[in-house]
Amino acid sequence: MGRLHDQMKRDLELKNYSPKTRSAYLTCVKSFALHFHRSPEEMGDQEIREYLHYLLTDREVSQSAMSQAYSGLKFFYETTLKRDWDGFRIPRVKMRKKLPVVLSQREVQTLFSVVKNLKHRAILMTIYSAGLRVSEAVHLRISDIDSQRMMMRIGHGKGDKDRYTLLAKRNLDILREYWREYRPLDWLFYGQSRERPLSIRAAEKVFDKAIHQAGIKKPATLHTLRHSFATHLLEAGTDLYHIQHLLGHQSPKTTTIYLHLSRRDLVK
């Protein structure tokens, strides 16, 4: 699907989708075409329904993979081929509501205490203290740290949106200590080369090692620190409106999940 691939790629770029989303959507449509050994231009509702059912029942893919396949095919047929997409004839799989894992404040303190490497402790504390996504943390630049206003600028967050979030004093202290020892030039957390940011996978490995050393048995991931940040703010009395903007959520509905996680509200 060379011509259609290039056309869809151009449409995704014009819509300003992130490189990660562009790659995922293009892969979804390519897999769809390979499944039937036909050009997707020759197929329609029946083949789409059959393929999505195959992913669900035969491949038993995850809910996120199902949603991604649906969205990728919908974009291709609606935007690239300019065809009508009937949500009744091609229903989206209902997503199961799953509450995220949250660490207690004591568990967070234990986690930081076992990390002896200053750079590793600095990036984990920054993710938690500012409520960052890992992709946002590894792409921080020194110029994003505003110690005068005690704020942190997040450039090109999810949806390519910029925002400001908190810079806690303790976080600033460890960042200054880290800067004195590592002397980053542009990227705050650089990788093997000072000219390139630390990779997401490298940051995830730091967290995985720390969670094991801390003896925490919860099925936590690096993103758990972001969930913990929001939940702890809510328990401390911060309103949902401010938490929404600190996290960079487009819709307040996304932020209301933390109402289900807050111990303060459960105790009440």
Side-chain angles (χ1 to χ4, degrees), residues 119 178 182 184 187-194 196-198:
K119 181 178 181 180
Y178 160 73
Y182 285 84
W187 298 108
L188 181 60
F189 300 112
Y190 56 85
Q192 294 182 347
S193 165
R194 290 175 182 266
R196 297 179 64 85
L198 186 71

Side-chain angles (χ1 to χ4, degrees), residues 203-266:
E204 290 172 340
K205 285 182 178 179
V206 168
F207 177 83
D208 293 342
K209 181 180 178 181
I211 208 81
H212 175 73
Q213 290 178 328
I216 297 172
K217 303 302 181 184
K218 292 177 179 177
T221 66
L222 188 48
H223 203 69
T224 299
L225 291 178
R226 176 173 158 90
H227 292 312
S228 303
F229 161 84
T231 305
H232 297 163
L233 277 183
L234 187 63
E235 291 175 341
T238 308
D239 61 74
L240 281 173
Y241 174 81
H242 287 99
I243 295 174
Q244 175 193 342
H245 287 276
L246 289 172
L247 293 175
H249 286 164
Q250 186 172 358
S251 169
K253 290 182 180 179
T254 309
T255 318
T256 55
I257 190 173
Y258 297 109
L259 289 172
H260 298 282
L261 305 176
S262 171
R263 182 178 175 275
R264 183 195 68 181
D265 292 324
L266 287 174

Side-chain angles (χ1 to χ4, degrees), residues 147-148 171-181:
S147 59
Q148 297 297 317
N171 190 194
L172 178 60
D173 290 342
I174 195 169
L175 287 178
R176 282 174 168 164
E177 184 182 352
Y178 160 73
W179 185 86
R180 285 193 295 269
E181 181 168 332

Side-chain angles (χ1 to χ4, degrees), residues 3-264:
R3 174 182 59 83
L4 292 175
H5 176 278
D6 293 343
Q7 189 176 336
M8 182 181 178
K9 182 174 180 289
R10 185 168 57 250
D11 290 337
L12 287 163
E13 290 170 347
L14 288 171
K15 291 281 188 179
N16 203 26
Y17 280 75
S18 70
K20 186 176 179 181
T21 301
R22 295 200 300 262
S23 175
Y25 281 15
L26 288 165
T27 300
C28 289
V29 177
K30 181 180 178 182
S31 299
F32 172 63
L34 288 173
H35 178 75
F36 289 101
H37 300 287
R38 293 166 60 193
S39 169
E41 199 171 17
E42 301 170 1
M43 296 185 281
D45 293 358
Q46 181 178 340
E47 289 83 5
I48 296 170
R49 286 168 58 89
E50 183 180 331
Y51 179 68
L52 292 174
H53 188 262
Y54 158 76
L55 291 179
L56 184 66
T57 57
D58 292 21
R59 291 280 307 279
E60 296 181 349
V61 301
S62 66
Q63 289 184 331
S64 60
M66 277 296 297
S67 179
Q68 193 173 76
Y70 185 98
S71 298
L73 290 169
K74 185 175 186 290
F75 180 92
F76 174 75
Y77 279 96
E78 269 192 333
T79 305
T80 302
L81 294 186
K82 295 180 173 55
R83 293 187 192 173
D84 291 333
W85 181 277
D86 193 327
F88 290 101
R89 293 199 305 269
I90 312 174
R92 184 185 286 272
V93 174
K94 185 177 181 181
M95 299 290 284
R96 179 169 62 91
K97 298 292 184 182
K98 189 176 180 181
L99 292 177
V101 175
V102 171
L103 301 179
S104 69
Q105 292 191 32
R106 179 173 293 181
E107 287 173 325
V108 171
Q109 291 172 354
T110 302
L111 182 74
F112 294 154
S113 69
V114 300
V115 181
K116 304 307 178 185
N117 182 288
L118 177 58
K119 181 178 181 180
H120 295 170
R121 189 162 70 251
I123 191 169
L124 293 182
M125 286 186 67
T126 300
I127 290 172
Y128 169 72
S129 299
L132 303 183
R133 301 176 178 91
V134 60
S135 59
E136 296 169 344
V138 298
H139 287 99
L140 281 173
R141 298 179 185 269
I142 295 175
S143 57
D144 293 327
I145 308 302
D146 188 344
S147 59
Q148 297 297 317
R149 300 173 61 212
M150 293 303 288
M151 300 188 79
M152 193 180 298
R153 180 182 177 276
I154 311 302
H156 303 290
K158 190 172 181 180
D160 203 27
K161 294 182 177 64
D162 296 349
R163 73 179 190 278
Y164 281 94
T165 188
L166 303 174
L167 175 61
K169 184 181 183 305
R170 188 180 176 194
N171 190 194
L172 178 60
D173 290 342
I174 195 169
L175 287 178
R176 282 174 168 164
E177 184 182 352
Y178 160 73
W179 185 86
R180 285 193 295 269
E181 181 168 332
Y182 285 84
R183 297 288 177 170
L185 300 176
D186 181 21
W187 298 108
L188 181 60
F189 300 112
Y190 56 85
Q192 294 182 347
S193 165
R194 290 175 182 266
E195 283 73 39
R196 297 179 64 85
L198 186 71
S199 71
I200 289 175
R201 185 63 196 127
E204 290 172 340
K205 285 182 178 179
V206 168
F207 177 83
D208 293 342
K209 181 180 178 181
I211 208 81
H212 175 73
Q213 290 178 328
I216 297 172
K217 303 302 181 184
K218 292 177 179 177
T221 66
L222 188 48
H223 203 69
T224 299
L225 291 178
R226 176 173 158 90
H227 292 312
S228 303
F229 161 84
T231 305
H232 297 163
L233 277 183
L234 187 63
E235 291 175 341
T238 308
D239 61 74
L240 281 173
Y241 174 81
H242 287 99
I243 295 174
Q244 175 193 342
H245 287 276
L246 289 172
L247 293 175
H249 286 164
Q250 186 172 358
S251 169
K253 290 182 180 179
T254 309
T255 318
T256 55
I257 190 173
Y258 297 109
L259 289 172
H260 298 282
L261 305 176
S262 171
R263 182 178 175 275
R264 183 195 68 181

